[in-house]
Amino acid sequence: NAGVTQTPKFQVLKTGQSMTLQCAQDMNHNSMYWYRQDPGMGLRLIYYSASEGTTDKGEVPNGYNVSRLNKREFSLRLESAAPSQTSVYFCAIETGAGANVLTFGAGSRLTVL
Amino acid sequence: TQLLEQSPQFLSIQEGENLTVYCNSSSVFSSLQWYRQEPGEGPVLLVTVVTGGEVKKLKRLTFQFGDARKDSSLHITAAQPGDTGLYLCAGGNDYKLSFGAGTTVTVRA
């Protein structure tokens, strides 16, 4: 997972608490993504960013906000965490020109009690 | 409902046996990828196929993209314990990559 760094790796929250997952890349690519992975559901796209300052909703954006203030960082925020947001979250960057090739971070495991 | 359906969901075989994992969809994709994921890690790209009917080989792994670009298969010859992992297919159109739910492969020594 060299090139994409996610923090924290593990987090436990209580319902209603807020937190931000951080993602940083050192590969100078434009497109960045946030996915969540749940058993039996595969990876589902939450938000993506095609370039600095732009963001768009993916398949499951409700309950999340994102911020892409610079080319290097893309953060995912949960304003009021719910148990349904218990999941493993992956940040990814698009590294293959024209073929949607993604390089993923190691993931952040979030538990909401 | 998954856009990409993978089968089987779980596969457990003995070292040295062959296995095939399938990825099917009713949608056409401009590219299809296979990733492997190990516990506690993010998915890692194995291969990308972009042409209908394309076959790619990566050592003991053979990937095929269907003629209509709606389905794909991954075949592993003489599986080894190191092949154990979650195999994910993903179909791409424009900026979007849609993932299947994955096939968990366990190769017993």
Side-chain angles (χ1 to χ4, degrees):
Chain A
N1 306 112
V4 182
T5 303
Q6 289 184 233
T7 56
K9 195 164 179 63
F10 300 96
Q11 183 72 50
V12 179
L13 292 177
K14 293 182 180 178
T15 298
Q17 287 185 317
S18 62
M19 77 156 299
T20 300
L21 301 176
Q22 306 285 354
C23 175
Q25 58 147 328
D26 59 7
M27 300 175 75
N28 201 38
H29 289 283
N30 285 318
S31 297
M32 299 185 73
Y33 301 78
W34 275 106
Y35 284 87
R36 60 177 288 173
Q37 186 175 35
D38 302 289
M41 306 271 310
L43 286 149
R44 292 181 292 170
L45 182 63
I46 306 171
Y47 270 93
Y48 73 100
S49 171
S51 61
E52 176 183 343
T54 67
T55 62
D56 284 287
K57 295 179 180 179
E59 182 185 355
V60 288
N62 291 344
Y64 305 96
N65 286 303
V66 289
S67 178
R68 182 87 182 271
L69 297 178
N70 55 60
K71 191 172 187 178
R72 185 172 174 272
E73 297 170 305
F74 188 35
S75 61
L76 179 71
R77 183 160 178 83
L78 287 71
E79 290 291 352
S80 179
S84 61
Q85 294 178 303
T86 292
S87 188
V88 182
Y89 292 85
F90 287 97
C91 176
I93 58 176
E94 186 173 350
T95 53
N100 306 111
V101 172
L102 300 182
T103 295
F104 287 84
S108 298
R109 182 176 292 275
L110 175 66
T111 302
V112 183
L113 303 175
Chain B
T1 303
Q2 295 283 144
L3 188 61
L4 287 154
E5 297 288 339
Q6 284 189 241
S7 62
Q9 188 176 357
F10 299 96
L11 195 54
S12 180
I13 60 171
Q14 200 70 35
E15 181 177 5
E17 293 180 337
N18 302 332
L19 69 96
T20 302
V21 176
Y22 299 93
C23 176
N24 296 294
S25 177
S26 58
S27 299
V28 175
F29 295 104
S30 57
S31 67
L32 198 137
Q33 300 162 30
W34 286 92
Y35 292 78
R36 184 169 74 200
Q37 184 179 17
E38 299 190 16
E41 300 291 331
V44 176
L45 180 72
L46 294 173
V47 76
T48 300
V49 285
V50 297
T51 305
E54 183 176 2
V55 177
K56 278 192 175 179
K57 292 192 175 184
L58 185 67
K59 296 183 180 178
R60 293 176 294 99
L61 279 62
T62 301
F63 305 87
Q64 185 161 9
F65 200 13
D67 290 340
R69 291 186 289 131
K70 292 182 179 181
D71 54 83
S72 181
S73 63
L74 157 60
H75 182 79
I76 302 179
T77 302
Q80 299 176 359
D83 296 324
T84 293
L86 176 67
Y87 288 82
L88 297 158
C89 68
N93 281 317
D94 297 322
Y95 63 87
K96 271 187 169 181
L97 200 59
S98 299
F99 284 83
T103 295
T104 299
V105 171
T106 303
V107 182
R108 305 184 305 275

